[in-house]
Amino acid sequence: MPKWVEQAAKNDLEILEDGQCQLCGSDTLHGITECVNAAGKITHKISQEKGIQHMTIFLCVDAHALQHTQIHGRWNNHFHLTRLHLILQDGVRWNYDLTTVLNEVLDDYKRHHPDEATIEADADHRPTITVIDVDASQDEEEYVALVWQWAEQVYTSFSESHAIASKLAGLFQEKCMSNSAELPE
């Protein structure tokens, strides 16, 4: 059984296998399963090098995870929202090394805020772009543009949790500065 199915069960989410994705509303025939499968391949529409350069690898993962919070752990949502904040709001050029730093910040933070949860948008205010739309992009330029639009929409939809993301982003930047790590710009 895939981990996301186990997490859905922990969150008392009944997986619907037919029709649109019940979480993001994407136009699928087989619900969440099809949506998750599309997410598993979406970052491969361009090379890994270009995906890192354009940050589409990170933005796709974050956007999809946040549109499907019920199939991920609660702290996972903090991570993805904070990384979107750092990239979209603070202009951080993300790389894999920074993921370790953010995980360390989050591990410390959750010891002091054990019950905190992000608040997602209701179904009436969810983003209009989904993984299925991005997957339908016809060329590299359209793909990169759609990924950035998708990430922006998802981040915006979590407006009630922007204060959490901002606080974590500040702690992340403090840690980078205290470790003499330079944030890529």
Side-chain angles (χ1 to χ4, degrees), residues 55 58 62 78-109 163-185:
M55 291 189 287
F58 310 114
D62 296 341
H78 280 69
F79 176 91
H80 292 292
L81 186 61
T82 301
R83 186 164 65 182
L84 281 182
H85 180 92
L86 286 161
I87 294 171
L88 300 173
Q89 301 300 305
D90 295 346
V92 173
R93 298 260 334 139
W94 202 261
N95 64 53
Y96 287 109
D97 292 338
L98 295 177
T99 298
T100 302
V101 177
L102 182 54
N103 278 325
E104 291 170 0
V105 167
L106 195 53
D107 286 344
D108 185 53
Y109 181 84
I164 293 169
S166 180
K167 186 180 344 175
L168 282 163
L171 293 170
F172 168 85
Q173 292 190 25
E174 284 175 25
K175 183 168 184 78
C176 285
M177 297 306 174
S178 69
N179 290 344
S180 299
E182 288 187 35
L183 291 175
E185 296 189 33

Side-chain angles (χ1 to χ4, degrees), residues 120-139:
E120 59 189 280
D122 59 47
D124 293 334
H125 296 97
R126 66 180 166 202
T128 58
I129 299 173
T130 69
V131 68
I132 300 301
D133 299 312
V134 175
D135 193 34
S137 61
Q138 298 297 309
D139 58 40

Side-chain angles (χ1 to χ4, degrees), residues 6-144:
E6 291 176 21
Q7 190 63 45
K10 286 181 187 177
N11 288 327
D12 296 323
L13 177 68
E14 178 186 351
I15 304 293
L16 304 179
E17 294 290 343
D18 292 318
Q20 290 183 310
C21 176
Q22 70 199 77
L23 296 179
C24 73
S26 65
D27 193 18
T28 59
L29 297 175
H30 302 291
I32 295 174
T33 300
E34 184 177 339
C35 204
V36 168
N37 289 338
K41 64 179 178 145
I42 196 68
T43 60
H44 303 295
K45 286 193 71 99
I46 60 176
S47 72
Q48 183 174 3
E49 181 182 333
K50 287 183 179 181
I52 292 170
Q53 176 188 355
H54 294 290
M55 291 189 287
T56 56
I57 286 176
F58 310 114
L59 295 173
C60 283
V61 170
D62 296 341
H64 191 267
L66 288 168
Q67 282 188 308
H68 299 83
T69 58
Q70 294 176 340
I71 63 171
H72 300 289
R74 179 168 47 101
W75 291 104
N76 182 66
N77 301 327
H78 280 69
F79 176 91
H80 292 292
L81 186 61
T82 301
R83 186 164 65 182
L84 281 182
H85 180 92
L86 286 161
I87 294 171
L88 300 173
Q89 301 300 305
D90 295 346
V92 173
R93 298 260 334 139
W94 202 261
N95 64 53
Y96 287 109
D97 292 338
L98 295 177
T99 298
T100 302
V101 177
L102 182 54
N103 278 325
E104 291 170 0
V105 167
L106 195 53
D107 286 344
D108 185 53
Y109 181 84
K110 64 186 174 185
R111 282 192 282 276
H112 299 57
H113 303 85
D115 300 320
E116 185 178 82
T118 58
I119 302 165
E120 59 189 280
D122 59 47
D124 293 334
H125 296 97
R126 66 180 166 202
T128 58
I129 299 173
T130 69
V131 68
I132 300 301
D133 299 312
V134 175
D135 193 34
S137 61
Q138 298 297 309
D139 58 40
E140 186 175 307
E141 186 176 315
E142 180 185 17
Y143 169 76
V144 171

